[in-house]
Amino acid sequence: MAVAAIGGDTHMGQTVILGVIGSDAHVVGITILEQALTAAGFDVENLGVQTSKAEFVSAAESEDAGAVLVSSLYGHAEQDCQGLHERLADADCDAVTYIGGNLAVGQNDWAETEDVFRELGFDRVFDAETDPEAVVASLERDLDHTTTETERVSVNS
Amino acid sequence: MAVAAIGGDTHMGQTVILGVIGSDAHVVGITILEQALTAAGFDVENLGVQTSKAEFVSAAESEDAGAVLVSSLYGHAEQDCQGLHERLADADCDAVTYIGGNLAVGQNDWAETEDVFRELGFDRVFDAETDPEAVVASLERDLDHTTTETERVSVNS
Amino acid sequence: MLRDDRIPGDQLRETASELRDRWPTGADADFEDAIEFHESLPASKRFADVLESADRPLLQPRAGVPRLDDQIELLVHLETEGGADLLPTTIDSYTRDNEYEKAAEGLAEARESGNDTLNGFPAVNHGVDACRELIQSVDAPVEVRHGTPDARLLAIVTLAGGFQSFEGGPISYNIPYTKEHDLEETIEHWQFVDRLCGAYTERGVRINREPFGPLTGTLVPPAIAIAVMIVEGLLAATQGVRSLTLGYGQVGNVVQDVAALRALRELGEEYLPDDAVVTTVFHEWMGGFPPDEARASGVIGLGGATAALARPDKVITKSPQEFQGVPTREANAAGLRTTRQLIDMMVEQEILIDGIDEEQNLIERTARSLVESVVSHGDGDVARGTVAAFDSGALDVPFAPSDSAAAAVLPARDDDGRVRILEWGDLAVPDETKEIHEARLDERARTEGRSRSFRMVADDVDAISDGKLIGRPTPSDGGGPGDGVDTRGGESDAD
Amino acid sequence: MLRDDRIPGDQLRETASELRDRWPTGADADFEDAIEFHESLPASKRFADVLESADRPLLQPRAGVPRLDDQIELLVHLETEGGADLLPTTIDSYTRDNEYEKAAEGLAEARESGNDTLNGFPAVNHGVDACRELIQSVDAPVEVRHGTPDARLLAIVTLAGGFQSFEGGPISYNIPYTKEHDLEETIEHWQFVDRLCGAYTERGVRINREPFGPLTGTLVPPAIAIAVMIVEGLLAATQGVRSLTLGYGQVGNVVQDVAALRALRELGEEYLPDDAVVTTVFHEWMGGFPPDEARASGVIGLGGATAALARPDKVITKSPQEFQGVPTREANAAGLRTTRQLIDMMVEQEILIDGIDEEQNLIERTARSLVESVVSHGDGDVARGTVAAFDSGALDVPFAPSDSAAAAVLPARDDDGRVRILEWGDLAVPDETKEIHEARLDERARTEGRSRSFRMVADDVDAISDGKLIGRPTPSDGGGPGDGVDTRGGESDAD
Ligand code: B12
Ligand code: B12
């Protein structure tokens, strides 16, 4: 793993919410991610492990988050994420949503797993081989993009 | 591997021919087999490695062998054994024939391999996991059996 | 108030009967009836005796699926095809959270769909009779393996169900496994579990207890793991446990692993009462695995080799599918056999390695100082001392998700690959020990031409899954041989 | 008459042109053209340089299939998915017997049916251009691996085809590989091969030569293997070879294996001329493998661990399918990755093991006495001495199928699993050495309560495939954990 140089640019001040959903306690992945995102200049709100859907939604709402990053390792991701996107929508949260980690119980087919989480509403689905740098790169793209669009909209109105 | 107690009974004085066929030089298996068969009281004629069909046939003929044991490890057994049984028949040799070792190139299906060698005329086909004791037991059965039958035939004639 | 005192018999009974009302299956857990069932079991299923009398390291996998018939099949497979000496039953996550309702739903779904919708065996939902059927269907002794902070009802049901070993402890099943469970309460819950085991023990059914040594599984400094094992051992012994298997998770440095296992045994015997039989268990690498079965087999191989050198009483094996998810039974059995082959090829060899004593000494000094600190934090009471020591950070676990732990300690490997401590927080360790660690880490920093920092930690966390022991900085990051997995990981864009 | 003298240039040319007429493809092997081709190759394909300048053990598998496109695909797979540092091309058995006609038939059949009807790549039949296509299609340097007593035409074609390393030698590719080939003649044939390599070397194309260290692969006592390596190295050096990789096959005892590799390097440097660069290669266990991929991975794991401790320049890996037959490319790559994971996890650790020096000393003394005996058998001429020493039994190889060797030597493991000699035949070894071996074997006999006998040998031959290092007598013979293979082996009755 390579970690980005400490002190990159700040990314539009948009907060990134990070947490492990459900009763999952695997903390190492988000610890590494938090460090990499912070080093890349993101404003990270790390909710830690065993975070409920409600906690994700209220954090996203109160921080006006640009992105919500959900981690799940222990194999119950699908059950744990049911309804999360509906609640985010109810809260008028338009953050991009990522999910990553070890998303199925057992030796499942990845393409299948991926579809399941797209159906649930996630914008991007990451497997457990994900390099933190790839997450940084993706977020940079998605958040700048979102920001630009928003700006354009306000100029036009 | 367990080796039978040294000095079992002698088995009807019928010679067992043993050798590695073709240009195969894997000698360890027949060394172990020779030792086990001898210890079990068989009269073993070990032709060694790289033995041609002709050598097998002439040894079987001149020793009036009760059994011909062909070993092959290097993956060319099928080619090497083509015509062996025809030649044995031509020489009026009615010895039981065994083949054993690693009988196919690559990761083949054993049942298939087995059929190939039965078609070629072998009475018994042994894989590379064969315990020498199993060979001893088989030979004891087959040679006693053969002898009895021969005797019965001569009584009837 | 929390105290390291034995729970009185009437209080045990009272709490037990209260707990048994929490879920319908609790009613079947009758103690006398259970004693009778245990007494009916053959000697080969007496966990403590089998383990303590073994003359070679015994192998045990992890395994748990929702349905009873599947679980039986799985265990029989691991016994016959894997050569497991001791069997596990791993409990699902809902049960660990005491969410028996959700576990019931998962189990029903599993029964209908045939899919494994739970990540383990919901023993409480299955109940006493199903557990006994499981015990009777296999030949080896069986342990309950879980990760449950409040495992009281689970213990009541499974021990009545014939299991003779129970994993976990108040620290080791709280700090690495939960965020919000209160440590004090968890200790009380485990005092109950240990007292229940003690009650069986008094009646001649010596239940084996196994504190979970690997903790967070991620670069845990040996002295920390050992200190936690001693503390949990002491708490269990107070409640009458007489068969204790102290655990340790492989860090991957051979000298350090052998030294740590020796230190664990040494200190275990020193600190724990004479009437408790102490054994040790070595867990094959508990951190992130390579996403490739062939390389995972290499990691398992090093585990087996280390076990052959250190000769613990038991080895918990990993499967080559560890990275991917819950392994197939075939992969699980494969992990057992790879380990067995290495142990059996090496165990008769005399391989004397230099420098183990020195490392062992360092580990023992550090572990002792942590244990003493716990004792003094509690004014001589280990239970209260544990809470206070975690509170002050005098005792701490790296990567602990729990609010009860400071998680200020950060480990990193030194230039030889031994796990040292980079950030100490308030860990109760002598200065002289800190100097040794710091000197070793400085050595590494020099070798790598970078300063000591969290980047070393992050690199070390990924190192073994990336194919190395030490997370050295690499000039280029990509490249390297393929890993047998189709995609080199990463995201799948939804657009 | 046979002499250890350099073949004169004109004789080399004459023999070469004669040999080139033996098979149509010979005509394309033009020396000047070949030099040009070699000079056109990038530095990364210069075998000797890549190997000699490596700072970690390089990995190389074995692999050969009949068709060119398949062979290219196979090698690319081993490079990209296995991370092989050096590549092989294993030659088929007909070519080894110089039966190019039969090889042609097999190749034609392979092309038609798509099946691998040959157990290797028939390089002579493919010819120079096909070899060059192969070399150009991969990134790493490639070696010819075979087992051919008379490899002259094979060398002419493959070296012209761009291969830069050539395995084998007059003893190591005769004694273990054939029954009737005359040793004297084989030495002459290899003098030619070495002289050809020398000719390339003189022109700046330093062909690497690798005598085959494992010999019969079955409990070969280290001193015997090392003596053969020195003798073949000397013969090759006489002919102008300047890059020599001496080999050794793992016996499975860690101390003995590390000691043997050190002794090999030590004696190699001592005996071989200063202008020859000596490197070492460690072959993972060459004897019978377990009939189970998981346990085979354990054997491979021990190989990797031993390599990490001994740090040879090169490691020849095995695949988990070794028992079964020629491995799939995936299994072959898996063997590489398992080995790589173990080496990379261990190689940075300082693991100092006691008693290696003592064992190394014993090995060196014995090997020296064998080499000296060869020299004196030939009145100072190593070539003639080799023939005479094998003839008298002063030099001998256990389980040798060759009529040229006495094969009177029988090895067995001692109580620690080290390979000792049970039957000496006429091996030229000092009495004091024999006493040491005998004392060690007596120790084992006492442990097992049986006398030293061939049964130990037979039990040891099967031990690793049965899951142990030492073939101890077992009370019952059956039983044991399953081996992941459906049938527990044996016969299929034809009736
Ligand atoms: C260490 C570990 C533990 C430790 C965790 C300590 C802790 N508190 O963190 C302990 C021992 C306590 C543990 C417990 C359990 N574990 Co666990 N554990 C592991 C292990 C070995 C390594 C995980 C790890 O730390 N990896 C290193 C980090 C850096 O990588 P990572 O977590 O994968 O995160 C990276 C990527 O996934 C990605 N990523 C992760 N999240 C996200 C989110 C987003 C948005 C993005 C973009 C990327 C991303 O980026 C991260 C950084 O590179 C894995 C197997 C493996 N991977 O080798 C099993 C594993 C995850 N555990 C597993 C299980 C089942 C459990 C248990 C339920 C227990 C059990 N059966 O015993 C409990 C669960 C307890 C609970 N309540 O959560 C299973 C999950 C099965 C499945 N999904 O099908 C695994 C796969 C093991 C297995 N093969 O069975 N475990
Ligand atoms: C040692 C060995 C060698 C040594 C042999 C030394 C010698 N002269 O004996 C060396 C290194 C020289 C060698 C060379 C080669 N080998 Co080799 N070798 C092996 C190895 C590792 C062990 C064989 C052994 O000794 N086993 C121990 C003995 C006791 O068991 P066994 O031979 O199987 O015999 C038992 C049973 O099979 C059975 N049995 C055997 N014969 C018979 C006969 C009868 C009638 C009965 C009833 C039973 C029976 O009973 C025996 C006693 O228990 C095997 C793989 C393995 N099995 O692990 C490969 C293997 C046999 N070799 C193989 C190959 C391809 C070769 C080569 C062609 C080279 C190559 N590609 O490099 C050359 C062939 C040279 C030649 N002309 O023959 C392949 C064969 C592939 C296939 N069949 O598909 C194997 C399987 C390796 C592999 N996976 O690629 N080899």
PDB file of all heavy atoms in Angstrom, chain A residues 116-141:
ATOM      1  N   VAL A 116     -25.745  -6.648  -6.655  1.00  0.00           N
ATOM      2  CA  VAL A 116     -26.585  -6.511  -5.472  1.00  0.00           C
ATOM      3  C   VAL A 116     -26.448  -5.112  -4.883  1.00  0.00           C
ATOM      4  O   VAL A 116     -27.436  -4.451  -4.550  1.00  0.00           O
ATOM      5  CB  VAL A 116     -26.191  -7.572  -4.413  1.00  0.00           C
ATOM      6  CG1 VAL A 116     -26.813  -7.249  -3.058  1.00  0.00           C
ATOM      7  CG2 VAL A 116     -26.579  -8.956  -4.887  1.00  0.00           C
ATOM      8  N   PHE A 117     -25.210  -4.628  -4.797  1.00  0.00           N
ATOM      9  CA  PHE A 117     -25.007  -3.340  -4.141  1.00  0.00           C
ATOM     10  C   PHE A 117     -25.325  -2.159  -5.046  1.00  0.00           C
ATOM     11  O   PHE A 117     -25.699  -1.099  -4.570  1.00  0.00           O
ATOM     12  CB  PHE A 117     -23.608  -3.274  -3.518  1.00  0.00           C
ATOM     13  CG  PHE A 117     -23.501  -4.197  -2.345  1.00  0.00           C
ATOM     14  CD1 PHE A 117     -23.019  -5.497  -2.497  1.00  0.00           C
ATOM     15  CD2 PHE A 117     -23.966  -3.807  -1.102  1.00  0.00           C
ATOM     16  CE1 PHE A 117     -22.977  -6.370  -1.426  1.00  0.00           C
ATOM     17  CE2 PHE A 117     -23.935  -4.675  -0.022  1.00  0.00           C
ATOM     18  CZ  PHE A 117     -23.437  -5.962  -0.180  1.00  0.00           C
ATOM     19  N   ARG A 118     -25.211  -2.366  -6.336  1.00  0.00           N
ATOM     20  CA  ARG A 118     -25.678  -1.314  -7.242  1.00  0.00           C
ATOM     21  C   ARG A 118     -27.183  -1.169  -7.133  1.00  0.00           C
ATOM     22  O   ARG A 118     -27.716  -0.065  -7.066  1.00  0.00           O
ATOM     23  CB  ARG A 118     -25.307  -1.663  -8.675  1.00  0.00           C
ATOM     24  CG  ARG A 118     -23.844  -1.449  -8.952  1.00  0.00           C
ATOM     25  CD  ARG A 118     -23.568  -1.754 -10.399  1.00  0.00           C
ATOM     26  NE  ARG A 118     -22.163  -1.573 -10.698  1.00  0.00           N
ATOM     27  CZ  ARG A 118     -21.639  -1.768 -11.894  1.00  0.00           C
ATOM     28  NH1 ARG A 118     -22.422  -2.154 -12.894  1.00  0.00           N
ATOM     29  NH2 ARG A 118     -20.356  -1.594 -12.097  1.00  0.00           N
ATOM     30  N   GLU A 119     -27.851  -2.296  -7.091  1.00  0.00           N
ATOM     31  CA  GLU A 119     -29.307  -2.303  -6.926  1.00  0.00           C
ATOM     32  C   GLU A 119     -29.710  -1.541  -5.668  1.00  0.00           C
ATOM     33  O   GLU A 119     -30.703  -0.825  -5.632  1.00  0.00           O
ATOM     34  CB  GLU A 119     -29.824  -3.750  -6.798  1.00  0.00           C
ATOM     35  CG  GLU A 119     -29.793  -4.550  -8.069  1.00  0.00           C
ATOM     36  CD  GLU A 119     -30.829  -4.064  -9.079  1.00  0.00           C
ATOM     37  OE1 GLU A 119     -31.995  -3.933  -8.675  1.00  0.00           O
ATOM     38  OE2 GLU A 119     -30.454  -3.797 -10.249  1.00  0.00           O
ATOM     39  N   LEU A 120     -28.920  -1.717  -4.626  1.00  0.00           N
ATOM     40  CA  LEU A 120     -29.229  -1.049  -3.360  1.00  0.00           C
ATOM     41  C   LEU A 120     -29.012   0.459  -3.444  1.00  0.00           C
ATOM     42  O   LEU A 120     -29.428   1.192  -2.569  1.00  0.00           O
ATOM     43  CB  LEU A 120     -28.379  -1.629  -2.230  1.00  0.00           C
ATOM     44  CG  LEU A 120     -28.824  -2.992  -1.680  1.00  0.00           C
ATOM     45  CD1 LEU A 120     -27.797  -3.537  -0.701  1.00  0.00           C
ATOM     46  CD2 LEU A 120     -30.187  -2.889  -0.996  1.00  0.00           C
ATOM     47  N   GLY A 121     -28.318   0.904  -4.497  1.00  0.00           N
ATOM     48  CA  GLY A 121     -28.186   2.339  -4.689  1.00  0.00           C
ATOM     49  C   GLY A 121     -26.769   2.897  -4.587  1.00  0.00           C
ATOM     50  O   GLY A 121     -26.559   4.104  -4.728  1.00  0.00           O
ATOM     51  N   PHE A 122     -25.790   2.048  -4.342  1.00  0.00           N
ATOM     52  CA  PHE A 122     -24.427   2.564  -4.215  1.00  0.00           C
ATOM     53  C   PHE A 122     -23.889   3.002  -5.576  1.00  0.00           C
ATOM     54  O   PHE A 122     -24.106   2.337  -6.590  1.00  0.00           O
ATOM     55  CB  PHE A 122     -23.501   1.512  -3.600  1.00  0.00           C
ATOM     56  CG  PHE A 122     -23.727   1.355  -2.122  1.00  0.00           C
ATOM     57  CD1 PHE A 122     -24.542   0.338  -1.628  1.00  0.00           C
ATOM     58  CD2 PHE A 122     -23.155   2.257  -1.222  1.00  0.00           C
ATOM     59  CE1 PHE A 122     -24.770   0.216  -0.270  1.00  0.00           C
ATOM     60  CE2 PHE A 122     -23.378   2.140   0.139  1.00  0.00           C
ATOM     61  CZ  PHE A 122     -24.199   1.111   0.616  1.00  0.00           C
ATOM     62  N   ASP A 123     -23.174   4.142  -5.591  1.00  0.00           N
ATOM     63  CA  ASP A 123     -22.610   4.647  -6.834  1.00  0.00           C
ATOM     64  C   ASP A 123     -21.380   3.845  -7.250  1.00  0.00           C
ATOM     65  O   ASP A 123     -21.140   3.635  -8.422  1.00  0.00           O
ATOM     66  CB  ASP A 123     -22.233   6.123  -6.668  1.00  0.00           C
ATOM     67  CG  ASP A 123     -23.471   6.973  -6.469  1.00  0.00           C
ATOM     68  OD1 ASP A 123     -24.404   6.838  -7.280  1.00  0.00           O
ATOM     69  OD2 ASP A 123     -23.520   7.743  -5.479  1.00  0.00           O
ATOM     70  N   ARG A 124     -20.606   3.470  -6.263  1.00  0.00           N
ATOM     71  CA  ARG A 124     -19.444   2.641  -6.577  1.00  0.00           C
ATOM     72  C   ARG A 124     -19.296   1.513  -5.550  1.00  0.00           C
ATOM     73  O   ARG A 124     -19.558   1.704  -4.368  1.00  0.00           O
ATOM     74  CB  ARG A 124     -18.162   3.477  -6.601  1.00  0.00           C
ATOM     75  CG  ARG A 124     -18.146   4.518  -7.711  1.00  0.00           C
ATOM     76  CD  ARG A 124     -16.832   5.299  -7.706  1.00  0.00           C
ATOM     77  NE  ARG A 124     -16.924   6.473  -8.555  1.00  0.00           N
ATOM     78  CZ  ARG A 124     -16.652   6.453  -9.874  1.00  0.00           C
ATOM     79  NH1 ARG A 124     -16.268   5.346 -10.454  1.00  0.00           N
ATOM     80  NH2 ARG A 124     -16.772   7.559 -10.583  1.00  0.00           N
ATOM     81  N   VAL A 125     -18.833   0.381  -6.058  1.00  0.00           N
ATOM     82  CA  VAL A 125     -18.676  -0.800  -5.210  1.00  0.00           C
ATOM     83  C   VAL A 125     -17.215  -1.249  -5.278  1.00  0.00           C
ATOM     84  O   VAL A 125     -16.683  -1.448  -6.373  1.00  0.00           O
ATOM     85  CB  VAL A 125     -19.596  -1.945  -5.706  1.00  0.00           C
ATOM     86  CG1 VAL A 125     -19.539  -3.135  -4.755  1.00  0.00           C
ATOM     87  CG2 VAL A 125     -21.039  -1.459  -5.867  1.00  0.00           C
ATOM     88  N   PHE A 126     -16.581  -1.374  -4.137  1.00  0.00           N
ATOM     89  CA  PHE A 126     -15.161  -1.720  -4.104  1.00  0.00           C
ATOM     90  C   PHE A 126     -14.946  -3.061  -3.420  1.00  0.00           C
ATOM     91  O   PHE A 126     -15.560  -3.343  -2.389  1.00  0.00           O
ATOM     92  CB  PHE A 126     -14.382  -0.657  -3.324  1.00  0.00           C
ATOM     93  CG  PHE A 126     -14.343   0.697  -3.996  1.00  0.00           C
ATOM     94  CD1 PHE A 126     -15.435   1.557  -3.920  1.00  0.00           C
ATOM     95  CD2 PHE A 126     -13.222   1.097  -4.701  1.00  0.00           C
ATOM     96  CE1 PHE A 126     -15.396   2.803  -4.533  1.00  0.00           C
ATOM     97  CE2 PHE A 126     -13.180   2.350  -5.316  1.00  0.00           C
ATOM     98  CZ  PHE A 126     -14.274   3.207  -5.233  1.00  0.00           C
ATOM     99  N   ASP A 127     -14.054  -3.847  -3.962  1.00  0.00           N
ATOM    100  CA  ASP A 127     -13.785  -5.131  -3.319  1.00  0.00           C
ATOM    101  C   ASP A 127     -12.661  -4.980  -2.293  1.00  0.00           C
ATOM    102  O   ASP A 127     -12.117  -3.895  -2.096  1.00  0.00           O
ATOM    103  CB  ASP A 127     -13.477  -6.208  -4.362  1.00  0.00           C
ATOM    104  CG  ASP A 127     -12.177  -5.981  -5.099  1.00  0.00           C
ATOM    105  OD1 ASP A 127     -11.317  -5.230  -4.602  1.00  0.00           O
ATOM    106  OD2 ASP A 127     -12.023  -6.551  -6.191  1.00  0.00           O
ATOM    107  N   ALA A 128     -12.338  -6.089  -1.640  1.00  0.00           N
ATOM    108  CA  ALA A 128     -11.384  -6.032  -0.532  1.00  0.00           C
ATOM    109  C   ALA A 128      -9.942  -5.863  -0.994  1.00  0.00           C
ATOM    110  O   ALA A 128      -9.047  -5.671  -0.181  1.00  0.00           O
ATOM    111  CB  ALA A 128     -11.527  -7.275   0.337  1.00  0.00           C
ATOM    112  N   GLU A 129      -9.721  -5.918  -2.303  1.00  0.00           N
ATOM    113  CA  GLU A 129      -8.354  -5.714  -2.790  1.00  0.00           C
ATOM    114  C   GLU A 129      -8.074  -4.251  -3.106  1.00  0.00           C
ATOM    115  O   GLU A 129      -7.031  -3.902  -3.646  1.00  0.00           O
ATOM    116  CB  GLU A 129      -8.108  -6.545  -4.055  1.00  0.00           C
ATOM    117  CG  GLU A 129      -7.864  -7.997  -3.766  1.00  0.00           C
ATOM    118  CD  GLU A 129      -7.508  -8.753  -5.036  1.00  0.00           C
ATOM    119  OE1 GLU A 129      -6.401  -8.540  -5.564  1.00  0.00           O
ATOM    120  OE2 GLU A 129      -8.340  -9.543  -5.499  1.00  0.00           O
ATOM    121  N   THR A 130      -9.029  -3.415  -2.801  1.00  0.00           N
ATOM    122  CA  THR A 130      -8.917  -2.010  -3.137  1.00  0.00           C
ATOM    123  C   THR A 130      -7.730  -1.321  -2.466  1.00  0.00           C
ATOM    124  O   THR A 130      -7.557  -1.396  -1.254  1.00  0.00           O
ATOM    125  CB  THR A 130     -10.206  -1.279  -2.687  1.00  0.00           C
ATOM    126  OG1 THR A 130     -11.308  -1.910  -3.307  1.00  0.00           O
ATOM    127  CG2 THR A 130     -10.149   0.186  -3.074  1.00  0.00           C
ATOM    128  N   ASP A 131      -6.956  -0.633  -3.279  1.00  0.00           N
ATOM    129  CA  ASP A 131      -5.858   0.165  -2.769  1.00  0.00           C
ATOM    130  C   ASP A 131      -6.433   1.507  -2.327  1.00  0.00           C
ATOM    131  O   ASP A 131      -7.204   2.124  -3.063  1.00  0.00           O
ATOM    132  CB  ASP A 131      -4.860   0.363  -3.922  1.00  0.00           C
ATOM    133  CG  ASP A 131      -3.549   0.926  -3.435  1.00  0.00           C
ATOM    134  OD1 ASP A 131      -3.571   1.961  -2.744  1.00  0.00           O
ATOM    135  OD2 ASP A 131      -2.519   0.332  -3.755  1.00  0.00           O
ATOM    136  N   PRO A 132      -6.070   1.992  -1.140  1.00  0.00           N
ATOM    137  CA  PRO A 132      -6.595   3.286  -0.683  1.00  0.00           C
ATOM    138  C   PRO A 132      -6.363   4.395  -1.716  1.00  0.00           C
ATOM    139  O   PRO A 132      -7.196   5.302  -1.846  1.00  0.00           O
ATOM    140  CB  PRO A 132      -5.790   3.555   0.589  1.00  0.00           C
ATOM    141  CG  PRO A 132      -5.413   2.216   1.093  1.00  0.00           C
ATOM    142  CD  PRO A 132      -5.243   1.339  -0.115  1.00  0.00           C
ATOM    143  N   GLU A 133      -5.283   4.308  -2.468  1.00  0.00           N
ATOM    144  CA  GLU A 133      -5.023   5.331  -3.479  1.00  0.00           C
ATOM    145  C   GLU A 133      -6.118   5.379  -4.538  1.00  0.00           C
ATOM    146  O   GLU A 133      -6.431   6.427  -5.089  1.00  0.00           O
ATOM    147  CB  GLU A 133      -3.674   5.071  -4.163  1.00  0.00           C
ATOM    148  CG  GLU A 133      -2.497   5.491  -3.332  1.00  0.00           C
ATOM    149  CD  GLU A 133      -2.707   6.858  -2.703  1.00  0.00           C
ATOM    150  OE1 GLU A 133      -2.658   7.871  -3.419  1.00  0.00           O
ATOM    151  OE2 GLU A 133      -2.952   6.918  -1.473  1.00  0.00           O
ATOM    152  N   ALA A 134      -6.688   4.195  -4.820  1.00  0.00           N
ATOM    153  CA  ALA A 134      -7.770   4.141  -5.810  1.00  0.00           C
ATOM    154  C   ALA A 134      -9.005   4.845  -5.270  1.00  0.00           C
ATOM    155  O   ALA A 134      -9.754   5.485  -6.022  1.00  0.00           O
ATOM    156  CB  ALA A 134      -8.080   2.688  -6.151  1.00  0.00           C
ATOM    157  N   VAL A 135      -9.218   4.733  -3.966  1.00  0.00           N
ATOM    158  CA  VAL A 135     -10.368   5.403  -3.350  1.00  0.00           C
ATOM    159  C   VAL A 135     -10.159   6.916  -3.405  1.00  0.00           C
ATOM    160  O   VAL A 135     -11.067   7.673  -3.756  1.00  0.00           O
ATOM    161  CB  VAL A 135     -10.553   4.926  -1.888  1.00  0.00           C
ATOM    162  CG1 VAL A 135     -11.820   5.532  -1.303  1.00  0.00           C
ATOM    163  CG2 VAL A 135     -10.593   3.407  -1.813  1.00  0.00           C
ATOM    164  N   VAL A 136      -8.944   7.343  -3.102  1.00  0.00           N
ATOM    165  CA  VAL A 136      -8.612   8.769  -3.174  1.00  0.00           C
ATOM    166  C   VAL A 136      -8.874   9.290  -4.593  1.00  0.00           C
ATOM    167  O   VAL A 136      -9.555  10.300  -4.787  1.00  0.00           O
ATOM    168  CB  VAL A 136      -7.134   9.004  -2.771  1.00  0.00           C
ATOM    169  CG1 VAL A 136      -6.696  10.424  -3.133  1.00  0.00           C
ATOM    170  CG2 VAL A 136      -6.939   8.742  -1.275  1.00  0.00           C
ATOM    171  N   ALA A 137      -8.366   8.570  -5.566  1.00  0.00           N
ATOM    172  CA  ALA A 137      -8.505   9.009  -6.956  1.00  0.00           C
ATOM    173  C   ALA A 137      -9.980   9.109  -7.355  1.00  0.00           C
ATOM    174  O   ALA A 137     -10.411  10.079  -7.979  1.00  0.00           O
ATOM    175  CB  ALA A 137      -7.770   8.033  -7.883  1.00  0.00           C
ATOM    176  N   SER A 138     -10.754   8.115  -6.958  1.00  0.00           N
ATOM    177  CA  SER A 138     -12.166   8.095  -7.282  1.00  0.00           C
ATOM    178  C   SER A 138     -12.890   9.269  -6.643  1.00  0.00           C
ATOM    179  O   SER A 138     -13.693   9.952  -7.287  1.00  0.00           O
ATOM    180  CB  SER A 138     -12.772   6.806  -6.715  1.00  0.00           C
ATOM    181  OG  SER A 138     -13.309   6.041  -7.722  1.00  0.00           O
ATOM    182  N   LEU A 139     -12.599   9.494  -5.380  1.00  0.00           N
ATOM    183  CA  LEU A 139     -13.268  10.584  -4.669  1.00  0.00           C
ATOM    184  C   LEU A 139     -12.904  11.930  -5.270  1.00  0.00           C
ATOM    185  O   LEU A 139     -13.740  12.822  -5.375  1.00  0.00           O
ATOM    186  CB  LEU A 139     -12.880  10.568  -3.190  1.00  0.00           C
ATOM    187  CG  LEU A 139     -13.785   9.758  -2.261  1.00  0.00           C
ATOM    188  CD1 LEU A 139     -13.283   9.885  -0.830  1.00  0.00           C
ATOM    189  CD2 LEU A 139     -15.228  10.253  -2.344  1.00  0.00           C
ATOM    190  N   GLU A 140     -11.629  12.048  -5.644  1.00  0.00           N
ATOM    191  CA  GLU A 140     -11.214  13.315  -6.253  1.00  0.00           C
ATOM    192  C   GLU A 140     -12.039  13.587  -7.503  1.00  0.00           C
ATOM    193  O   GLU A 140     -12.518  14.687  -7.721  1.00  0.00           O
ATOM    194  CB  GLU A 140      -9.722  13.279  -6.584  1.00  0.00           C
ATOM    195  CG  GLU A 140      -8.894  13.594  -5.349  1.00  0.00           C
ATOM    196  CD  GLU A 140      -7.399  13.399  -5.553  1.00  0.00           C
ATOM    197  OE1 GLU A 140      -6.985  12.834  -6.595  1.00  0.00           O
ATOM    198  OE2 GLU A 140      -6.654  13.810  -4.650  1.00  0.00           O
ATOM    199  N   ARG A 141     -12.203  12.544  -8.300  1.00  0.00           N
ATOM    200  CA  ARG A 141     -12.990  12.677  -9.515  1.00  0.00           C
ATOM    201  C   ARG A 141     -14.447  13.008  -9.175  1.00  0.00           C
ATOM    202  O   ARG A 141     -14.987  14.008  -9.631  1.00  0.00           O
ATOM    203  CB  ARG A 141     -12.944  11.361 -10.288  1.00  0.00           C
ATOM    204  CG  ARG A 141     -12.776  11.520 -11.775  1.00  0.00           C
ATOM    205  CD  ARG A 141     -12.295  10.243 -12.445  1.00  0.00           C
ATOM    206  NE  ARG A 141     -13.037   9.061 -12.036  1.00  0.00           N
ATOM    207  CZ  ARG A 141     -12.463   7.904 -11.669  1.00  0.00           C
ATOM    208  NH1 ARG A 141     -11.155   7.790 -11.643  1.00  0.00           N
ATOM    209  NH2 ARG A 141     -13.201   6.876 -11.323  1.00  0.00           N
TER     210      ARG A 141
END
